[in-house]
Structure formats: C-alpha cells, structure tokens
Amino acid sequence: MKIKFALAQINPVLGDIEKNRKKHLEFIEKAMEENANVIVFPELSLTGYRLKDLAMEVALPPQSDFFNPILKKSKMIDVAMGFVERGNDNNVYNSAMYIENGKIKSVYRKIYPPTHGMFEELRFMGRGKKVTTFKTRYGNFSILICRDLFHPSLLFLAYAQNAEVVLGMSNMPLRGVEGKKPAIEETVEKAVDTYTSFFSQFIVFVNRAGFEDGMGFYGGSFIGTPMGKKLGFAGILKEKLTFATVDTEEIYRKRQLFPLSREEDLNIIKENLDAILEANNERV
Amino acid sequence: MKEFRLNYELVKEFIIEFIREETYSNGFKKCVVGLSGGVDSAVVAYLSAEALGKENVKAIIMPYKDSDPASKEDALLVVKKLGIPNELIDITEIVDAYFKGNVANVRKGNFLARIRMSILFDKAKEFKALVMGTSNKSELILGYSTWYGDMAASLYPIGDLYKTEVFEFARFLNVPERIIKKKPSADLWPGQTDESELGASYKALDSVLKLYIDQRRTKEEILSLGYKKELVENVLNRIKKTQFKRTLPPVAKFSPRTVGLDFLYPHDFKV
C-alpha cells in the first residue's frame, strides 16, 4: 500500500484554538491540493504546548462540534491532530486523535507526560494508559506522543499489535548547540533509526516549530522507514509542510530479510514481566 | 578556522527566530537596545538588526559625565557598522539633580542603571518597541547586575550564553575587535571592571558555573576537580545571595489562586 503523508510542522498560537483550527484547515487544504492521503499535525497542535492553567480552558471532548469543520474535510484526507481532551472522567489529557472519513477513528492519551525541569505536564494534565493500534484505510496505525517516543517499551507495544505506521506527534524543544545538529535532533534520529530498523515500522515524526516562553521547538519532522531511509525532512525551526510517499511493502521485504518479528514470542515477554513485577512488588 | 565551543551558526539562527517570534507575537515590530559600548549590547544589537531589520532597532546611548569616553565611541562604532537609528542622551543632569556631593559607588552605579532603564522603557513607549535585554548567563546567575536596572527588559536573547561564549559569538558575528578585546566593565564609575569586582576571571567563573549549573556537580565534586576553594565559594555565595533577583517577590498567600504560586499562565499567553 502506497501512502502519501503530509507532515504539517506548524507553529500554533498558544491557547488560541480558533486561530489554530483555521491553520489546520489551511494546511489540510494545501495537503489535499497535493493529493496527500494522510496529514499529520504535531502534539497539541490545536492548543500550543506551554498551557499550564490554560489547559482546562482549552480542553474539549472529542465529540465536540468544534471539530466538525475538520471532520468534514476528512472525507478526502485522513487527519491526525493534537488537542487537550476533556475526558468523560472530568480529567484533562494531552491527547491526539485520528480522523478518517468524517469520523474519529481513535483517541490516544499521552502515556508519559514529562514533569521535570521546563516540563510541567503532569501538574496540569492526566496520563493515558493504553497503546492501541487502529485499522485505517491505509493499514494499521498507532499514535505516540513526544516523550512516549523515548520509551522503547511503547514502540514495542505498537509493534506487538502489528502497527505498520507509528505517528510520533511531538513538541520537542531545542537543547544542545555544541554539534552540527541540535543534540535533541540527534537523539530523535538515533531513536527512530533503531525502532524502524528492529521493529520494521514506519515512524512519521512530526514536531512543531516556534517559540513559547523562550522554549524553541526545533521542528525537524521526517519519516523513518524500515530500510533506514529518511523521507520528507522539513528542516529545523520553521513552519513547513512537506510530503513523502511510503510503500508498506517495504515492511514485508524487511521482515523477510531480517525476520525478527517471526522470532518474537510475546508469551516469553509476558512470563518474564510477570516475574519481574512480582519480585518488584515483594521488594516494596 | 577558529575553534569555537558552540555551533554559533545554529545559535545565531535560533536566537534570531526567538527575537522575531517573541517580538511579533507580542504585537511589536521594533525594539530599543541600550548600547553601552560593551560586547553584550553589541551582540544583541547585531542579532536584533538581523532579526527585525536595521530600521526597526533603535540604539539608545546614555553616557554620564564620569563614563569612559571610549564607551560612547564604541557604541557609536556599532551604530555605524549596523546603520541603525540612534539617540544620544546624556544623563548627567538627571543624575546630578538627585545626588549632591559624594555617594558610594554602588549606590550611584545602581542609580545610573535604573535611570537608563527608565529612559529605555520611555523610548520603547515612544517608538512602540520592546526593550531588548543584554544580560548574559554569567551575569544573570551570579546576579551581577542591577535589579530593575539593566536586568529590566522584555526579552533576554543572550541570557543562555556565558560571558566567555558571548566573546566567541561576538567574534563569529564580526563585532569590531576593539569591543571584544577591551576589559569587560559596566563603566558605572571610573576604573570599574567586572573581573576585579567579581574577584575572578570570566574564564574561571564560567568553568565553575558550567559544572555547577549545567552539569549539577556538587561543591565537593568541583573542588575535587582542582578548582580553588575561594573561587568555588565565591561563585556559590553569589548565586545564593542574588536568587531574589531571579524570581517574583513572594506574595502573602491566602486565596485559592495566588500570583506566583498557583495563578500559572505562560508569559506568552495572548488570548
């Protein structure tokens, strides 16, 4: 299956969901003109990142009419976007949803919201518990959000459910200016290279651009492929829309050349995890 | 090719984007920079001119009667190199109208810094501009600046660069060599220099700061690396003693949401 992705490396306005919805619609339009199949926005693309007390003010339930104009557009193009979710449990979450053919296909809640140094997410939002894979018209997809991508265990859970494409939606600020590239970019590329190589998945990494309170989100969006290619690189720091077409046949080829997935035994992992958990619980 | 510690091409691109976005998204197009003739304000002027366009950066030069004449000349050299609009405002009369007779250097120095701040903010109002701050990381962390004086600004473009890095960056940006080479000084009274006041060279101070701030090494660990006790204690004491300058004043809290404690909105909240 060939899939043409649009990587929407946008710079949302902090806390202004009206302006940001307009920006989503504009980028969706542009992606449709290029006949893209799926457009992927960054984490919290509807709201901006450093919300703090604004989180509860911009939170929306996924069923909100506010999303209707975007749902309408999704007849022709699938849309993955980030927002602050007001959950049925009256908590708010850093979430992302996948919209296909006028309907919400899946909502994912970030599992590891970082809370240290400049990151304060758990102070204002809850955390998700589940990595899921959902079947789209283009294959099995999973969503992971930003810090989640630095936990290989979550990539493994997507792989274990046969995710062919992982959408890595991010708001990563730049740090580390000693080298040729920002240190954070090196870290992400290393991680994506490793995951795509051993899990034979595509990772569509979309990171935002722009500044909030001095934090500068570095952009650098790209697609990593199972054969180690890097497609659709959007460059750093600036708002950009790039396109890249992937062929999921590459997963089949890679998995025949390097049949790790055939060797995988989830029962072994489960037995080991159970034993580890039991031992850890005893220790406490 | 000179050996630089940082990728200044990247630093430059990043700071220029920062200046643009933080200026435009806060509803401004212009900035004012107080040009002292020193390397920090020169670097900030160079970056601001490239970020906002030279016509949108107004240099304000504010000599006092005791200022080193070279300070004004060097500030004018930056103005000439960049071709930016400028205004020269002698603050002697304002200052001398308040202080009659002799007064301690630090009192007078703080007053000069705060008069310059008042003028910069007034000029910012006049030109519908932001005040571009010129504080560097060494100065901010050592608290070596006047609270609500030279510390007062809308943005700190070079606030994450140590002084020794500012020198390198200035060289990378082609700031005139004579500005880079002269002894760093706030020039608040004749003969003042940063390094004699701080009691160590920036090279020494920055090495300790990097270990303590960025690598989170303990005092004992830094001492075990061979740094002198006097230097390390000097740095750590300055950080502790000046922490108040880097925070909002505490509010006596009794309501559900209090400024500084739980009324927590981002700086860049513009809804």
Side-chain angles (χ1 to χ4, degrees):
Chain A
M1 169 86 68
K2 285 201 169 129
I3 316 167
K4 183 169 181 180
F5 282 100
L7 282 57
Q9 180 171 299
I10 65 165
N11 176 11
V13 180
L14 185 56
D16 193 337
I17 58 175
E18 299 278 345
K19 269 192 195 150
N20 292 329
R21 180 175 62 181
K22 198 164 161 258
K23 182 166 277 188
H24 280 69
L25 293 170
E26 285 163 11
F27 273 72
I28 291 169
E29 281 291 335
K30 279 187 236 166
M32 283 167 69
E33 281 164 26
E34 300 289 328
N35 297 315
N37 304 119
V38 183
I39 182 166
V40 184
F41 288 91
E43 172 185 15
L44 295 174
S45 56
L46 188 67
T47 60
Y49 179 74
R50 210 176 145 74
L51 295 159
K52 304 172 85 162
D53 276 356
L54 281 170
M56 76 168 277
E57 295 167 38
V58 298
L60 292 169
Q63 308 76 21
S64 165
D65 290 347
F66 187 85
F67 294 108
N68 283 353
I70 295 171
L71 260 54
K72 259 185 218 152
K73 294 258 184 240
S74 72
K75 299 255 160 54
M76 302 294 291
I77 183 170
D78 293 6
V79 180
M81 63 180 287
F83 69 114
V84 179
E85 179 192 357
R86 179 175 169 168
N88 286 332
D89 58 359
N90 285 307
N91 286 319
V92 297
Y93 296 96
N94 178 343
S95 295
M97 61 168 131
Y98 191 90
I99 306 167
E100 179 191 72
N101 204 14
K103 293 205 176 72
I104 296 170
K105 189 95 204 179
S106 183
V107 177
Y108 171 77
R109 294 174 177 168
K110 187 175 188 173
I111 290 181
Y112 293 121
T115 305
H116 63 97
M118 65 179 150
F119 303 108
E120 302 179 90
E121 293 183 37
L122 280 175
R123 209 172 161 187
F124 304 98
M125 291 185 273
R127 58 190 287 187
K129 293 199 172 93
K130 214 168 169 201
V131 176
T132 50
T133 297
F134 45 93
K135 198 163 179 51
T136 74
R137 46 190 161 187
Y138 304 109
N140 287 332
F141 284 23
S142 281
I143 293 177
L144 293 176
I145 302 179
C146 208
R147 178 58 61 92
D148 292 342
L149 292 169
F150 290 163
H151 289 268
S153 48
L154 301 191
L155 277 296
F156 176 80
L157 291 175
Y159 161 69
Q161 298 170 77
N162 198 25
E164 293 163 293
V165 177
V166 174
L167 307 178
M169 300 160 68
S170 289
N171 278 187
M172 290 198 190
L174 180 142
R175 303 78 112 185
V177 290
E178 287 83 8
K180 201 162 172 284
K181 290 178 181 176
I184 182 68
E185 188 181 15
E186 300 267 13
T187 305
V188 168
E189 288 181 352
K190 236 181 263 170
V192 169
D193 259 358
T194 309
Y195 303 143
T196 51
S197 163
F198 294 113
F199 297 149
S200 303
Q201 303 161 326
F202 289 93
I203 295 183
V204 181
F205 173 75
V206 179
N207 188 36
R208 64 165 287 189
F211 281 82
E212 286 176 1
D213 286 13
M215 287 159 73
F217 301 95
Y218 85 89
S221 307
F222 71 100
I223 299 178
T225 84
M227 299 299 262
K229 276 191 283 246
K230 194 174 150 190
L231 311 172
F233 181 59
I236 64 165
L237 295 176
K238 292 193 192 334
E239 194 165 79
K240 189 100 186 269
L241 179 65
T242 58
F243 299 91
T245 302
V246 306
D247 187 347
T248 50
E249 280 302 294
E250 193 176 320
I251 299 172
Y252 180 64
R253 277 207 307 280
K254 180 70 188 273
R255 287 188 180 180
Q256 297 316 309
L257 284 167
F258 196 21
L260 294 175
S261 62
R262 205 163 68 204
E263 299 162 5
E264 215 64 65
D265 188 335
L266 294 181
N267 283 315
I268 293 177
I269 292 167
K270 184 180 184 308
E271 283 155 21
N272 277 274
L273 261 185
D274 286 345
I276 291 166
L277 282 171
E278 202 177 318
N280 283 354
N281 288 340
E282 274 167 22
R283 234 171 272 145
V284 175
Chain B
M1 193 61 199
K2 291 182 197 85
E3 269 297 304
F4 288 136
R5 271 174 293 174
L6 302 182
N7 176 349
Y8 289 109
E9 190 69 53
L10 176 60
V11 172
K12 181 182 163 189
E13 188 185 354
F14 187 72
I15 297 178
I16 284 174
E17 287 292 329
F18 163 84
I19 292 173
R20 276 186 194 139
E21 178 156 356
E22 296 285 359
T23 303
Y24 299 151
S25 73
N26 282 290
F28 293 87
K29 284 193 185 117
K30 298 187 230 178
C31 74
V32 296
V33 184
L35 267 192
S36 68
V39 70
D40 299 318
S41 59
V43 165
V44 169
Y46 270 66
L47 294 168
S48 302
E50 186 151 348
L52 305 177
K54 60 182 182 181
E55 65 285 359
N56 294 316
V57 179
K58 181 127 181 182
I60 312 291
I61 305 167
M62 296 169 281
Y64 177 63
K65 67 180 180 198
D66 293 343
S67 305
D68 183 347
S71 295
K72 186 173 93 181
E73 284 164 31
D74 291 341
L76 287 168
L77 178 63
V78 171
V79 162
K80 201 177 138 206
K81 286 266 175 202
L82 293 174
I84 54 178
N86 68 99
E87 207 170 315
L88 190 74
I89 301 166
D90 191 304
I91 61 171
T92 305
E93 266 184 49
I94 305 177
V95 174
D96 290 357
Y98 176 71
F99 282 129
K100 309 280 186 216
N102 279 343
V103 61
N105 277 342
V106 174
R107 275 184 65 199
K108 197 159 186 180
N110 278 339
F111 192 70
L112 291 178
R114 292 190 177 116
I115 289 296
R116 287 178 176 133
M117 176 277 292
S118 296
I119 291 171
L120 281 177
F121 276 86
D122 176 62
K123 287 293 160 193
K125 201 74 185 163
E126 185 185 351
F127 302 125
K128 296 194 184 96
L130 289 178
V131 176
M132 214 49 89
T134 59
S135 300
N136 60 61
K137 189 168 184 173
S138 310
E139 179 178 307
L140 284 172
I141 291 178
L142 295 170
Y144 184 60
S145 49
T146 300
W147 197 31
Y148 298 117
D150 51 318
M151 272 186 87
S154 316
L155 301 175
Y156 285 152
I158 58 167
D160 217 5
L161 284 172
Y162 288 108
K163 185 76 177 191
T164 45
E165 293 163 349
V166 174
F167 286 123
E168 287 189 346
F169 195 25
R171 206 150 266 146
F172 173 85
L173 293 170
N174 289 318
V175 169
E177 204 56 28
R178 93 175 189 227
I179 293 174
I180 301 170
K181 279 215 172 112
K182 71 179 175 184
K183 278 196 175 148
S185 167
D187 193 21
L188 294 170
W189 54 84
Q192 183 192 24
T193 68
D194 293 7
E195 293 179 336
S196 66
E197 250 193 303
L198 288 166
S201 70
Y202 273 117
K203 196 171 167 233
L205 295 164
D206 285 356
S207 309
V208 176
L209 284 173
K210 278 183 197 170
L211 290 166
Y212 184 70
I213 302 294
D214 299 309
Q215 299 183 28
R216 298 212 75 158
R217 303 290 192 97
T218 63
K219 180 180 168 183
E220 289 66 35
E221 285 169 343
I222 298 171
L223 289 172
S224 75
L225 291 170
Y227 289 91
K228 288 209 177 76
K229 195 166 176 232
E230 191 198 346
L231 169 71
V232 177
E233 285 181 349
N234 176 8
V235 169
L236 300 193
N237 287 340
R238 279 177 189 279
I239 296 173
K240 236 185 262 172
K241 262 179 22 200
T242 59
Q243 179 56 17
F244 73 94
K245 296 187 184 182
R246 290 179 292 267
T247 59
L248 271 181
V251 177
K253 176 187 168 75
F254 38 78
S255 78
R257 288 178 87 204
T258 305
V259 171
L261 289 174
D262 30 38
F263 179 78
L264 299 172
Y265 288 92
H267 174 280
D268 289 350
F269 168 39
K270 294 158 210 109
V271 175

